[in-house]
C-alpha cells in the first residue's frame, strides 16, 4: 500500500469518526430541529409576506427583520403550546370523569348487555367445541379493574409530566431560538447544507422542494383535515352530551388516518351505544349527522387540499404513519410518510441518473416485456 492510499484511508477514518461525533452531538436536539423545520416551512410564506413590506437595507431594516423574526418565533410556539396545554388539561379532566362515569354505570347496571354477551359467549363456546368459555373470564370484573388501574395510571402520568416541566420549558426555549434563526438565516443555512452534502445540487434542490411540498401537503391534506373533523366531532359530541367529548374527538383525530374505517370507528359505536341505552331517536340523528358532517367531510376536503400532489395510496400513508409513530414516537406522525415519499423521490432520481425506465420492465399477461 503506497503513501497516497494510506493518507486516503486515514482521512476517511478521521472523517467517519468526526461524522459519528457530529451525529451524537445533535441527536439530542433532533426533535427541536425537526419541528422547527416543519414550523418554518408552514409559517415562512406569511413571514416572507411581512418581510417584503419592511425596508430592505440598512440597520433599521435589519433590526425590524430581527424583531419580526423573534415575534413570529415566539407567537408561533406560544400559539401551539397554549392549544396543547389547554387540550391536555381538558383531556385529563374528561378522561378522569369518563372513567368514573363508566365504572359507576356498570356498577349500577349489572345486567347491562348480559343477555347479548351470554348469547355471544354461547356461540363462541359452540364454535370452538367448548375450548373457549368467555363466562369463566368474568370480563365485567376485568373491565372494572382495568378502569380502576387507568385512573391510577392517569394520575401517575400527570405527576410525571409535572416533574419534567423544566425539561419541557427548556425544549420550548430551544425551539423558539432555533425557529428565530431559521427565519433570519434560513437561506444561508440551506446553502450551507447544500455544500456539505455530496450530491448534485439539482438533486438537492429537487429533494428540498419535495420536502417542502410533503410538509405542506401532509399538513393541509391529512393533519388539517383530521383536525377539522375532530373539531366538528367535538361540537356534535358536546351537543348530544356525550361524556368525554374531547377524549373521543382526539381519538377520532387519529382514527381518520385509518383507511375505510376512519372516523366511523368512534362515532359509530357512540351512536349505537345511545340507541342501546334507550335514546333511539337521538342515537339515529347522531349517526346521520356524524356520517354527513364528519366522514363525508373527509371525501370533500382531502381531494381539494391534496389535488393528487401526494401520489400514494391511503393504505401506504396509514402504515407509514403507524410505523413512523412506532419507530420515532410522535415525530413519526410526520416522519413516517415523509421518509416513504422521499425514498420514492430518490428512487426516481436514481432511475433518471442511470437512464432506467421502469415501465419498460413491465410485462403483459403472457410474460413478454412491453
Amino acid at each position: 500500500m503506497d503513501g497516497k492510499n494510506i493518507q486516503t484511508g486515514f482521512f476517511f477514518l478521521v472523517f467517519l469518526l468526526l461524522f459519528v461525533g457530529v451525529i451524537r452531538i445533535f441527536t439530542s436536539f433532533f426533535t427541536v430541529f425537526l419541528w422547527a423545520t416543519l414550523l418554518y416551512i408552514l409559517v415562512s410564506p406569511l413571514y416572507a409576506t411581512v418581510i417584503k413590506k419592511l425596508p430592505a437595507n440598512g440597520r433599521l431594516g435589519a433590526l425590524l427583520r430581527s424583531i419580526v423574526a423573534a415575534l413570529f418565533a415566539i407567537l408561533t410556539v406560544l400559539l401551539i403550546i397554549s392549544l396543547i396545554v389547554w387540550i391536555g388539561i381538558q383531556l385529563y379532566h374528561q378522561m378522569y370523569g369518563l372513567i368514573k362515569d363508566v365504572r359507576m354505570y356498570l356498577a349500577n347496571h349489572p345486567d347491562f348487555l348480559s343477555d347479548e354477551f351470554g348469547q355471544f359467549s354461547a356461540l363462541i363456546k359452540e364454535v370452538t367445541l367448548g375450548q373457549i368459555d368467555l363466562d369463566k373470564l368474568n370480563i365485567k370484573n376485568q373491565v372494572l379493574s382495568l378502569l380502576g388501574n387507568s385512573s391510577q395510571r392517569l394520575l401517575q402520568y400527570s405527576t410525571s409530566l409535572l416533574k419534567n416541566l423544566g425539561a419541557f420549558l427548556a425544549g420550548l426555549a430551544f425551539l423558539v431560538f432555533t425557529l428565530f434563526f431559521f427565519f433570519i438565516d434560513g437561506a444561508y443555512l440551506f446553502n450551507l447544507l447544500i455544500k456539505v452534502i455530496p450530491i448534485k445540487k439539482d438533486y438537492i434542490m429537487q429533494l428540498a422542494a419535495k420536502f417542502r411540498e410533503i410538509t405542506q401537503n401532509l399538513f393541509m391534506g391529512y393533519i388539517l383535515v383530521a383536525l377539522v373533523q375532530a373539531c366538528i366531532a367535538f361540537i356534535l359530541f358536546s351537543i348530544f352530551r356525550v361524556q368525554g367529548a374531547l377524549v373521543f374527538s382526539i381519538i377520532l383525530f387519529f382514527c381518520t388516518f385509518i383507511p375505510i374505517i376512519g372516523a366511523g370507528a368512534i362515532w359509530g359505536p357512540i351512536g349505537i351505544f345511545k340507541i342501546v341505552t334507550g335514546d333511539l331517536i337521538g342515537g339515529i340523528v347522531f349517526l346521520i349527522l356524524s356520517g354527513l358532517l364528519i366522514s363525508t367531510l373527509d371525501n370533500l376536503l382531502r381531494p381539494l387540499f391534496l389535488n393528487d400532489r401526494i401520489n400514494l395510496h391511503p393504505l401506504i400513508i396509514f402504515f407509514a404513519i403507524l410505523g413512523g409513530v412506532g419507530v420515532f414516537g410522535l415525530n413519526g406522525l410526520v416522519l413516517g410518510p415523509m421518509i416513504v415519499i422521499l425514498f420514492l423521490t430518490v428512487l426516481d432520481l436514481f432511475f433518471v441518473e442511470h437512464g432506467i425506465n421502469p415501465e419498460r420492465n413491465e410485462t403483459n399477461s403472457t410474460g413478454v416485456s412491453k
Side-chain angles (χ1 to χ4, degrees), residues 256-277:
T256 56
F257 296 101
I258 303 177
I260 301 176
I261 301 176
I266 301 301
W267 58 258
I270 292 176
I272 294 173
F273 179 79
K274 293 180 74 67
I275 294 174
V276 170
T277 53

Side-chain angles (χ1 to χ4, degrees), residues 4-63:
K4 185 175 181 180
N5 289 335
I6 293 176
Q7 289 182 356
T8 302
F10 181 76
F11 177 80
F12 178 77
L13 178 61
V14 172
F15 172 80
L16 184 62
L17 291 174
L18 292 175
F19 179 76
V20 172
V22 170
I23 295 297
R24 291 288 299 273
I25 290 172
F26 288 103
T27 298
S28 301
F29 304 100
F30 174 76
T31 299
V32 172
F33 289 142
L34 172 65
W35 290 101
T37 302
L38 298 179
L39 291 176
Y40 171 74
I41 290 174
L42 294 174
V43 181
S44 58
L46 178 60
Y47 173 77
T49 302
V50 175
I51 287 298
K52 289 180 181 178
K53 300 180 180 180
L54 301 178
N57 300 315
R59 293 183 178 180
L60 178 60
L63 178 61

Side-chain angles (χ1 to χ4, degrees), residues 1 4 13 20 110 120 170 187 215 221 234 239 307 320:
M1 180 179 294
K4 185 175 181 180
L13 178 61
V20 172
F120 178 73
T215 302
F234 176 72
I239 292 175
N307 194 24

Side-chain angles (χ1 to χ4, degrees), residues 146-165:
L146 178 62
L147 291 174
N149 293 333
S150 298
S151 301
Q152 297 177 0
R153 290 177 182 175
L154 192 61
L155 182 60
Q156 292 175 357
Y157 291 149
S158 302
T159 305
S160 177
L161 287 175
L162 291 176
K163 290 181 179 179
N164 296 323
L165 183 60

Side-chain angles (χ1 to χ4, degrees), residues 95 208 330 363:
M95 285 187 68
L330 183 61
T363 57

